[in-house]
Amino acid sequence: MTPPTDPRLPAADPAAAPAPAPAPASDKPRSRWRRLGLLGLGVAAITAVGAAAVSQRPAFAHGAGFGHRSWHGPMDPAAMSRRIDSMAGWMLADIDATPQQKERVATILKAAANDLQPLRESHRQARRESLQLFAAAELDRAKLEKIRLEQMQLGETVSRRLLQAMMDAAEVLAPDQRAKLVATWQRRMDRRG
């Protein structure tokens, strides 16, 4: 009896390798969803970086952060607005976005950043409280579990808001622009490994 072979592995004898089966017609919609998924990842990454980065302020004393700034503390609203405008322009430059599209995407990102700023402060406060609980003489497991559950809910809220911003930004772009954006982000992800 011949041992089963894994079809994902190359055959030992290239002449004996079976010819790949033609792709079923159902792969085309799947490919479209894959592209949309990658677009979603790209826009989500941009939104997440933008929301986090635009809400930050002071210079990083011991190393370079995003744009040589730290990820700590609130940012002046005017500086946040300028940073988001710059980020939207950079992100959309390679896909021939119009000035109106760049402005609309920037507006969407600004709204997400504004909505997420209070949640960011809640997260920071919970982290400080957790550290204090771990440093206490007696470990309060119930309180730590409560904080963990609250942080999970906070993460769900952030994820939902980021997805909303991602979808809103994607609707601003034409399908061919979204495809270009996905291709750009795919190349960047491939370079990073």
Side-chain angles (χ1 to χ4, degrees), residues 86-192:
S86 174
M87 182 182 60
W90 171 79
M91 173 182 75
L92 301 174
D94 293 340
I95 65 166
D96 302 321
T98 66
Q100 294 82 8
Q101 287 175 312
K102 290 176 184 177
E103 183 179 330
R104 286 181 60 201
V105 168
T107 300
I108 291 165
L109 294 177
K110 289 172 190 176
N114 287 334
D115 292 348
L116 293 173
Q117 180 59 34
L119 301 179
R120 181 178 177 278
E121 184 51 41
S122 296
H123 174 68
R124 293 180 74 209
Q125 179 58 37
R127 189 174 57 226
R128 285 189 292 268
E129 187 177 351
S130 294
L131 291 174
Q132 289 173 350
L133 289 168
F134 277 113
E138 273 193 51
L139 196 61
D140 187 344
R141 290 177 179 265
K143 182 68 174 171
L144 286 166
E145 178 62 15
K146 181 178 182 262
I147 292 171
R148 185 192 70 81
L149 290 172
E150 289 169 354
Q151 292 307 293
M152 295 296 288
Q153 291 170 345
L154 183 67
E156 175 66 23
T157 302
V158 169
S159 174
R160 189 177 305 116
R161 182 61 182 98
L162 290 175
L163 178 61
Q164 177 189 346
M166 177 181 72
M167 292 184 299
D168 292 347
E171 286 179 341
V172 170
L173 305 174
D176 63 316
Q177 290 174 314
R178 291 194 304 262
K180 286 179 187 177
L181 186 60
V182 167
T184 299
W185 279 98
Q186 184 62 50
R187 283 191 304 275
R188 290 178 182 159
M189 288 188 317
D190 289 346
R191 281 195 304 250
R192 293 181 184 191

Side-chain angles (χ1 to χ4, degrees), residues 77-92:
M80 178 178 73
S81 179
R82 286 190 305 271
R83 185 171 289 180
I84 289 176
D85 288 336
S86 174
M87 182 182 60
W90 171 79
M91 173 182 75
L92 301 174

Side-chain angles (χ1 to χ4, degrees), residues 53-93:
V54 298
S55 63
Q56 315 312 317
R57 166 173 60 87
F60 206 43
H62 37 269
F66 183 83
H68 299 286
R69 294 185 176 265
S70 75
W71 292 66
H72 307 287
M75 176 182 265
D76 167 43
M80 178 178 73
S81 179
R82 286 190 305 271
R83 185 171 289 180
I84 289 176
D85 288 336
S86 174
M87 182 182 60
W90 171 79
M91 173 182 75
L92 301 174

